[in-house]
Amino acid sequence: MNNITFGQYVPGNSWIYKLDPRIKILLSIFYIVLLFLLPNLLSMAIGLGVFILIFISTRISILKVIKSLKAIFFLMLFTIFLQIIYTNDPSYNLLYNFNMQIGLFQTLIIIGIILVWLFTKKYIPFKFIYLLSVIASIFLVLWLSRFENFVWNNWDFLVYYEGVEKSGYILIRLIVMIGITSLLTLSTMTTDINNGIEGILSPLKIFHINVGVFSMLVSLTLRFIPTLIEESKKIMKAQASRGVDFEEGKLKDKITQIISLLIPMFVISFKRADELSNAMEARGYIIGEKRTKLDELKLKWRDYLSIVISLGLLALVIWSRIYV
């Protein structure tokens, strides 16, 4: 729960905070689309470098993005592994050949490693890193250990240069996409996101679509993400003080523990929603009615400059796809 930063606003005073929220939302979508136009790993690495420079200039702690990446770190590793395995065309350039061996002694060693991990993982503070080290140890056993007796199978695990390149390409794309969305939510308050979405979708009013309701829905959803995270942390601490362990135990016990967390979360969610609806009604909010705004959104020179720079990057990417 501590690793989720989506929807959390961090106060600041850098240039990105002064941009119009409509421009920030459109540019976030624009840059994510731009990522899919980058043709190769080199261009994706350059895009990552540009993003890092932009992020540093915002003076927002990069640890916020790193924490959000930890939540999908396993997914990224799994994606890389699949790309390396399934990129096995003989016409590709072979990078390395891992000759693997599996037999009785390797199986016993692997079982021993797994048992040590099962009995020691609750004492290790960095459990995910510990799990990665265990997986690496199993791989090394299959690769480096050699026995003459009781060998069941030998096979070659081929790693091609194109597979590694595709894995790096997808990995960098995921990192930059998460970084862009995190940068949007970290630097924009939910009320500004609400106004920005409503401003972007305002042409739909011609078709009698109430964009204000939709934008309010998105705004409230983003607003409640950090609130529910904090509430879930409080419930988990309260349950832990009563002896509930969310990390250890059998599958049946884990299901019971999750239910003990979900039921209070549902109750708190409905209670919060009821309190919010009462507060909105007390302040005169009526669904479908036209609303006035204290601050009208107006584009400034920073917004126009950001648009020009973004169009310049788009032209550079198109040029590289055609001529490079």
Side-chain angles (χ1 to χ4, degrees):
M1 291 293 181
N2 295 328
N3 297 332
I4 301 175
T5 60
F6 186 78
Q8 298 183 12
Y9 172 73
V10 178
N13 195 33
S14 61
W15 61 270
I16 195 168
Y17 290 90
K18 300 174 183 178
L19 288 179
D20 190 290
R22 296 171 295 180
I23 298 299
K24 282 195 280 187
I25 294 171
L26 289 175
L27 289 183
S28 299
I29 299 172
F30 173 82
Y31 283 122
I32 290 175
V33 173
L34 195 65
L35 287 174
F36 288 87
L37 297 178
L38 298 177
N40 50 46
L41 179 61
L42 177 60
S43 59
M44 191 64 72
I46 295 173
L48 176 62
V50 172
F51 170 75
I52 292 175
L53 291 176
I54 293 174
F55 199 94
I56 292 174
S57 68
T58 61
R59 298 199 294 273
I60 299 175
S61 175
I62 200 168
L63 293 177
K64 295 288 185 180
V65 177
I66 294 176
K67 286 183 179 181
S68 62
L69 289 174
K70 287 174 64 178
I72 64 162
F73 192 63
F74 182 79
L75 174 63
M76 293 191 293
L77 289 179
F78 184 70
T79 303
I80 292 172
F81 186 69
L82 286 181
Q83 284 294 327
I84 292 176
I85 287 179
Y86 287 101
T87 307
N88 53 7
D89 194 323
S91 62
Y92 290 156
N93 298 314
L94 182 64
L95 185 63
Y96 199 85
N97 181 7
F98 294 93
N99 183 257
M100 316 291 281
Q101 185 185 86
I102 182 66
L104 176 62
F105 297 110
Q106 285 93 344
T107 304
L108 292 176
I109 294 172
I110 291 172
I111 292 174
I113 293 174
I114 294 175
L115 290 176
V116 170
W117 172 70
L118 289 175
F119 286 106
T120 59
K121 63 178 182 178
K122 60 182 178 181
Y123 304 108
I124 305 299
F126 303 102
K127 291 181 173 55
F128 188 74
I129 297 177
Y130 186 41
L131 176 61
L132 291 180
S133 64
V134 169
I135 296 174
S137 300
I138 294 174
F139 180 83
L140 290 175
V141 168
L142 295 175
W143 176 34
L144 298 178
S145 62
R146 287 293 179 269
F147 298 96
E148 296 181 357
N149 300 320
F150 304 104
V151 177
W152 300 331
N153 192 14
N154 285 281
W155 78 95
D156 292 328
F157 179 58
L158 305 178
V159 177
Y160 293 93
Y161 175 80
E162 286 78 5
V164 176
E165 185 178 23
K166 289 180 181 178
S167 300
Y169 181 84
I170 294 174
L171 176 64
I172 295 176
R173 178 187 286 174
L174 286 174
I175 292 174
V176 178
M177 286 175 61
I178 295 173
I180 290 172
T181 53
S182 299
L183 188 59
L184 172 63
T185 56
L186 290 172
S187 63
T188 313
M189 292 187 293
T190 53
T191 53
D192 292 334
I193 292 178
N194 178 18
N195 295 332
I197 294 175
E198 187 174 354
I200 293 171
L201 299 179
S202 57
L204 295 178
K205 293 179 180 179
I206 300 175
F207 303 101
H208 302 288
I209 297 176
N210 195 333
V211 297
V213 175
F214 177 75
S215 60
M216 179 61 71
L217 176 64
V218 174
S219 176
L220 293 178
T221 303
L222 294 176
R223 169 64 184 85
F224 269 92
I225 289 175
T227 302
L228 294 179
I229 290 173
E230 290 298 324
E231 293 294 342
S232 64
K233 288 163 61 177
K234 293 178 182 178
I235 295 172
M236 291 178 69
K237 290 179 180 178
Q239 298 282 16
S241 66
R242 293 171 173 81
V244 177
D245 191 351
F246 289 94
E247 297 182 356
E248 304 296 334
K250 299 178 182 179
L251 179 61
K252 182 180 178 180
D253 297 332
K254 287 183 178 293
I255 294 174
T256 305
Q257 293 160 5
I258 291 173
I259 293 175
S260 68
L261 174 64
L262 290 179
I263 293 177
M265 284 296 298
F266 274 111
V267 174
I268 291 174
S269 299
F270 286 121
K271 183 179 179 181
R272 291 274 184 170
D274 185 60
E275 292 175 352
L276 179 63
S277 63
N278 292 333
M280 293 175 69
E281 288 179 0
R283 289 165 174 79
Y285 180 80
I286 302 175
I287 298 177
E289 293 294 327
K290 186 177 180 180
R291 298 169 56 214
T292 58
K293 299 182 185 302
L294 180 63
D295 298 319
E296 294 291 338
L297 298 178
K298 295 181 180 179
L299 298 182
K300 299 180 181 178
W301 66 269
R302 298 184 188 89
D303 305 308
Y304 293 111
L305 180 61
S306 300
I307 294 173
V308 171
I309 293 174
S310 301
L311 292 177
L313 291 175
L314 175 62
L316 183 62
V317 170
I318 295 176
W319 177 84
S320 64
R321 290 186 65 90
I322 297 174
Y323 297 103
V324 177

